[in-house]
Amino acid sequence: VQLQASGGGLVQPGGSLRLSCAASGFTKDYYTIGWFRQAPGKEREGVSSFSSSDGSTYYADSVKGRFTMSRDNAKNTVYLQMDSLKPEDTALYYCAAGFSVRATMYPHDVYSYDYWGQGTLVTVSS
């Protein structure tokens, strides 16, 4: 399994960015794809996720109404559309894949995921 995150950059407060995560090597029908972020000096936190087993999605309270996760199955790619960005959204963003029931039940938990992509840096600053 390989995950390739991209799309980070520098954006002004109130702006938008779309992150992409290209996935390959999946051999199971059921999976959970998650987006996480880690700011300097802070723990990695779950931002959003999608579980294929039941179609459920998860958004952290801090991003609800501003971030939207979507996927293009033909391209094996998931996206994280980030709108109304705030300075506190500044972080290294990672995508991850989990293949256990735990990932469906606890999509916000880093320990639910088996594979991680490299991070892409998002900086929100004027």
Side-chain angles (χ1 to χ4, degrees):
V1 173
Q2 290 190 331
L3 301 165
Q4 181 76 31
S6 61
L10 173 64
V11 63
Q12 292 186 342
S16 298
L17 276 176
R18 189 178 78 160
L19 305 183
S20 300
C21 176
S24 62
F26 282 25
T27 58
K28 298 183 179 181
D29 292 334
Y30 298 120
Y31 57 87
T32 297
I33 293 285
W35 284 101
F36 287 76
R37 67 185 181 186
Q38 188 165 20
K42 294 189 176 181
E43 293 186 352
R44 193 170 298 189
E45 64 171 347
V47 174
S48 179
S49 72
F50 167 78
S51 293
S52 68
S53 60
D54 59 4
S56 60
T57 57
Y58 161 82
Y59 292 96
D61 288 343
S62 57
V63 306
K64 281 181 181 176
R66 300 188 299 120
F67 289 13
T68 304
M69 190 172 176
S70 63
R71 64 197 186 279
D72 184 332
N73 292 331
K75 295 182 178 181
N76 293 327
T77 300
V78 296
Y79 304 97
L80 185 67
Q81 177 67 40
M82 306 186 295
D83 299 319
S84 302
L85 283 161
K86 304 175 181 180
E88 51 264 43
D89 294 318
T90 295
L92 201 55
Y93 283 72
Y94 299 87
C95 58
F99 299 95
S100 66
V101 172
R102 178 189 173 91
T104 302
M105 296 177 62
Y106 306 105
H108 57 285
D109 189 341
V110 297
Y111 296 105
S112 296
Y113 293 83
D114 307 295
Y115 299 92
W116 293 81
Q118 90 294 353
T120 185
L121 182 62
V122 173
T123 303
V124 184
S125 175
S126 55

